[in-house]
Amino acid sequence: MEIIISPERMYEFSEQCRSRGQRVALVPTMGALHRGHISLLDIARRQADVTVMSIFVNPTQFGPREDFNEYPRPFEEDCRKAEMALCDVVFAPTREMMYPDNYNTFVSVENITERLCGASRPGHFRGVATVVLKFFNIVNPHVALFGQKDAQQVLVIKRMVEDLNHPVKIAVAPIIRENDGLAMSSRNAYLTKEERAEAGTIKRSLDQGLKCYEKGERNAAVIKNEITSILSRTDFLSMEYIEIVDTRTVRPVDTVPSPALIAVACRTTQSKTRLIDNVIAGGSI
Ligand code: AMP
């Protein structure tokens, strides 16, 4: 496995692959790899000849009071895990290479970034869209893999490539979970023992909402109530949002369409860890 730091070298490497007729897949990550990330690599390998995983903790997607400095960066361990998963290239540029002093250009996807995570993390999706477009320009992949775990991110990236006529294909991977249903996340490492023991409640509540939908319920308020009633049974989570939105507009719905995104975000009460999770009713994103 090759480790590439310089964007110029990465661009050149990818161009060489393309000129040999090889398909290139990109898996963008912030590192601290877990089985969710590895599942994206596995899917990427089936869709391309060369798999590139970027590892970059992107400063522009963190708010001033968020965990940019604390975010785990076990780079050597990540490289070992990526190599074990038969990744061909880890692309890990420095912050200065991505955002030099005179950096001034940002990508802002409008409307669909205002709700859900966008409401509590102003500027987050501007940072995400910017760094992802930069990676698309540097790696020029045929296909890029994103996890349903960050569902609004998927909707934003899909909107961006369509709006800006980028030829990359966006593939979405299912959420990989711990045994109790907790969605794997690099931030799970922040959880206290008590919080970790309770965190499976999030998926249980979403499953209850989905069950309600599958039985024929289409009133969003009724489904949201089911989810809330389960989540409010634990003292270890405080809710940020429970929303059912149209996957095209990311607007809350009264009557649940197909597909609809049922998404929750909460913060744990002890370690203040922000956890997100979702299920899709009646289809996929
Ligand atoms: P991150 O390193 O958190 O930026 O995540 C990098 C990519 O991995 C994103 O596309 C995420 O949606 C995806 N991802 C994160 N957690 C999971 C998970 N539990 N299952 C599947 N994909 C995931």
Side-chain angles (χ1 to χ4, degrees):
M1 188 185 77
E2 193 162 336
I3 298 172
I4 298 179
I5 306 295
S6 129
E8 291 75 22
R9 169 78 191 116
M10 184 66 247
Y11 184 81
E12 198 179 273
F13 179 97
S14 192
E15 278 304 289
Q16 285 163 356
C17 295
R18 281 177 161 262
S19 68
R20 288 193 290 267
Q22 291 175 308
R23 275 176 66 78
V24 178
L26 172 66
V27 178
T29 81
M30 298 204 300
L33 301 183
H34 50 67
R35 280 196 290 115
H37 297 114
I38 300 302
S39 77
L40 300 191
L41 271 180
D42 292 340
I43 297 170
R45 279 210 338 274
R46 294 200 292 270
Q47 301 205 11
D49 306 297
V50 178
T51 311
V52 178
M53 173 177 263
S54 60
I55 298 182
F56 181 64
V57 184
N58 174 35
T60 63
Q61 71 187 68
F62 287 79
R65 281 178 300 277
E66 292 185 355
D67 57 343
F68 175 73
N69 288 325
E70 298 78 51
Y71 201 86
R73 291 165 172 83
F75 184 65
E76 280 168 22
E77 199 184 319
D78 284 347
C79 287
R80 275 197 296 279
K81 287 181 183 170
E83 188 161 24
M84 291 273 286
L86 305 178
C87 178
D88 296 299
V89 177
V90 161
F91 173 47
T94 64
R95 179 181 183 157
E96 292 70 29
M97 286 170 178
M98 292 297 279
Y99 299 107
D101 278 346
N102 53 351
Y103 191 86
N104 273 318
T105 307
F106 292 88
V107 182
S108 176
V109 179
E110 300 187 358
N111 298 317
I112 62 171
T113 51
E114 284 158 15
R115 292 162 206 273
L116 304 184
C117 294
S120 56
R121 304 187 72 187
H124 170 68
F125 289 112
R126 176 180 181 258
V128 168
T130 300
V131 81
V132 169
L133 186 61
K134 282 167 73 65
F135 280 133
F136 287 173
N137 289 337
I138 296 166
V139 180
N140 194 15
H142 294 83
V143 57
L145 278 293
F146 292 87
Q148 185 198 309
K149 156 94 191 327
D150 298 278
Q152 191 176 12
Q153 170 170 283
V154 168
L155 301 175
V156 169
I157 300 302
K158 281 189 164 182
R159 187 78 266 136
M160 176 183 78
V161 299
E162 204 176 316
D163 288 353
L164 298 182
N165 308 93
H166 202 291
V168 66
K169 179 186 160 217
I170 305 301
V172 185
I175 305 175
I176 304 297
R177 299 178 178 282
E178 303 286 359
N179 288 339
D180 65 347
L182 174 66
M184 289 194 177
S185 164
S186 307
R187 289 191 170 98
N188 292 352
Y190 301 151
L191 298 175
T192 65
K193 242 190 187 151
E194 286 101 332
E195 290 171 345
R196 178 63 198 85
E198 291 287 323
T201 313
I202 301 171
K203 176 61 163 55
R204 269 202 310 283
S205 74
L206 286 167
D207 282 345
Q208 187 58 31
L210 195 57
K211 203 158 120 194
C212 220
Y213 169 87
E214 282 162 357
K215 279 192 190 149
E217 182 59 65
R218 291 295 180 270
N219 183 333
V222 172
I223 297 177
K224 275 164 64 171
N225 271 341
E226 284 284 327
I227 297 171
T228 311
S229 73
I230 294 177
L231 283 170
S232 59
R233 280 181 221 153
T234 167
D235 294 336
F236 290 95
L237 300 171
S238 75
M239 289 319 295
E240 185 183 297
Y241 65 74
I242 301 172
E243 288 288 7
I244 305 182
V245 301
D246 185 304
T247 57
R248 225 169 21 88
T249 61
V250 192
R251 278 178 187 279
V253 290
D254 294 328
T255 306
V256 184
S258 305
L261 168 64
I262 307 179
V264 302
C266 52
R267 207 170 271 283
T268 61
T269 48
Q270 292 176 336
S271 64
K272 312 286 180 216
T273 305
R274 190 170 180 277
L275 299 174
I276 58 171
D277 202 347
N278 67 80
V279 289
I280 316 288
S284 57
I285 53 168

